[in-house]
């Protein structure tokens, strides 16, 4: 009797142990697998490759880095970033960057980002202009891409450069090195010259002549008075001579 009871206890414990193992296996299977790579970080990609300190500073200053991170998490089409090197910023004309307002700096950075992932092969066959994230009253500002073989060039209407290196080329994010800052015409295009202020009208020669003719000169007026005085003196002298004669 005691052995039967012991056997029942052992069987019950084995069943409970099997149930626990089954539940653990199901929980591990249903749990989402951890992502092998963390969320994409554009700043980290630039820092890893070096020579992008100015671009990183502008991304952080304009908070565009935060916008890019949000878009990568929510965008289906991905993003393409054209990253100017530090030398590219150093070669800008003096004051070109410091002369921009904060809003224009945001637009400048957005002009280097397209709201879609493009491989280098894609850029050879795109329809120009390719819209960027920068926009104004007339819509999105565009970039133009041309090339042949493995060489791709990008132009803005003001400057152009070759895409030399892919820092990352895997959906949903492509990051390409460019050796020039891409200058949009909307910010750096030729400004129309300011209209000159109206000049004062020079007096006409006829007006001067009229003024000179009508105004008597001091010399002429004095001469006339002298002649009249001399005539009166002679008349008085002749009258006196006639009285004594």
């Amino acid at each position: 009797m005691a052995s039967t009871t012991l056997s029942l206890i052992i069987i019950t414990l084995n069943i409970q142990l099997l149930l626990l193992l089954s539940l653990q296996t199901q929980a591990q299977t249903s749990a989402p697998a951890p992502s092998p790579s963390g969320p994409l970080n554009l700043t980290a990609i630039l820092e890893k490759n070096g020579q992008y300190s100015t671009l990183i500073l502008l991304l952080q200053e304009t908070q565009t880095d935060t916008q890019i991170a949000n878009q990568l998490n929510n965008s289906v089409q991905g993003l393409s970033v054209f990253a100017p090197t530090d030398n590219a910023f150093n070669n800008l004309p003096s004051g070109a960057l410091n002369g921009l307002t904060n809003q224009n700096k945001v637009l400048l950075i957005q002009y280097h980002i397209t709201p879609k992932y493009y491989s280098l092969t894609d850029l050879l066959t795109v329809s120009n202009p390719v819209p960027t994230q920068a926009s104004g009253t007339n819509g999105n500002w565009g970039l133009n891409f041309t090339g042949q073989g493995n060489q791709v060039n990008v132009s803005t209407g003001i400057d152009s450069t070759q895409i030399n290196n892919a820092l990352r080329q895997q959906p949903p994010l492509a990051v390409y090195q460019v050796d020039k800052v891409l200058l949009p015409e909307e910010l750096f295009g030729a400004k129309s010259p300011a209209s000159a202020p109206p000049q004062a009208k020079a007096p006409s020669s006829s007006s001067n002549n009229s003024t000179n003719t009508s105004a008597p000169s001091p010399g002429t007026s004095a001469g006339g008075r002298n002649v009249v005085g001399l005539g009166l003196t002679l008349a008085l002298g002749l009258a006196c001579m006639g009285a004594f004669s």
Side-chain angles (χ1 to χ4, degrees):
M1 184 72 179
S3 62
T4 303
T5 304
L6 181 61
S7 297
L8 290 173
I9 294 173
I10 293 173
I11 291 172
T12 303
L13 290 173
N14 287 334
I15 292 173
Q16 290 178 348
L17 181 60
L18 288 172
L19 288 173
L20 286 173
L21 290 173
S22 177
L23 291 173
Q24 287 180 353
T25 303
Q26 290 179 1
Q28 290 176 355
T29 304
S30 61
S35 175
S37 59
L40 289 171
N41 188 327
L42 174 61
T43 303
I45 295 172
L46 296 173
E47 288 176 344
K48 180 180 177 181
N49 287 273
Q51 66 176 345
Y52 297 99
S53 300
T54 305
L55 178 59
I56 292 172
L57 182 64
L58 285 171
L59 285 167
Q60 295 171 341
E61 180 183 335
T62 59
Q63 298 183 347
T64 309
D65 56 341
T66 305
Q67 296 175 6
I68 291 174
N70 293 333
Q71 289 171 339
L72 286 173
N73 291 329
N74 301 309
S75 172
V76 176
Q77 294 186 321
L79 297 173
S80 299
V81 178
F82 302 92
T85 62
D86 289 334
N87 284 336
F89 281 103
N90 291 336
N91 290 332
L92 285 175
S94 177
L97 196 59
N98 293 332
L100 296 177
T101 65
N102 195 46
Q103 177 58 31
N104 285 343
K105 287 180 182 179
V106 172
L107 290 171
L108 178 62
I109 296 301
Q110 290 177 336
Y111 190 64
H112 290 74
I113 305 169
T114 64
K116 184 178 179 180
Y117 170 86
Y118 292 102
S119 67
L120 285 174
T121 304
D122 294 334
L123 293 175
L124 290 171
T125 58
V126 293
S127 298
N128 290 316
V130 174
T132 68
Q133 289 193 329
S135 62
T137 55
N138 295 325
N140 290 78
W141 303 351
L143 293 170
N144 296 296
F145 296 92
T146 56
Q148 188 174 7
N150 294 326
Q151 179 178 330
V152 181
N153 298 320
V154 55
S155 63
T156 69
I158 293 181
D159 59 358
S160 62
T161 186
Q162 182 178 337
I163 298 175
N164 293 321
N165 185 26
L167 307 183
R168 176 191 165 89
Q169 192 177 188
Q170 182 179 352
L173 176 64
V175 184
Y176 301 110
Q177 173 185 322
V178 288
D179 292 333
K180 286 185 179 180
V181 179
L182 304 177
L183 303 178
E185 287 185 307
E186 291 81 355
L187 291 182
F188 296 92
K191 302 289 190 298
S192 58
S195 57
Q199 296 182 351
K201 233 178 162 182
S204 63
S205 57
S206 59
S207 172
N208 289 340
N209 291 340
S210 172
T211 303
N212 293 338
T213 303
S214 60
S217 64
T220 304
S221 175
R225 288 196 298 269
N226 291 338
V227 170
V228 172
L230 181 60
L232 290 173
T233 303
L234 289 174
L236 289 173
L238 292 174
C240 292
M241 289 176 63
F244 287 108
S245 61

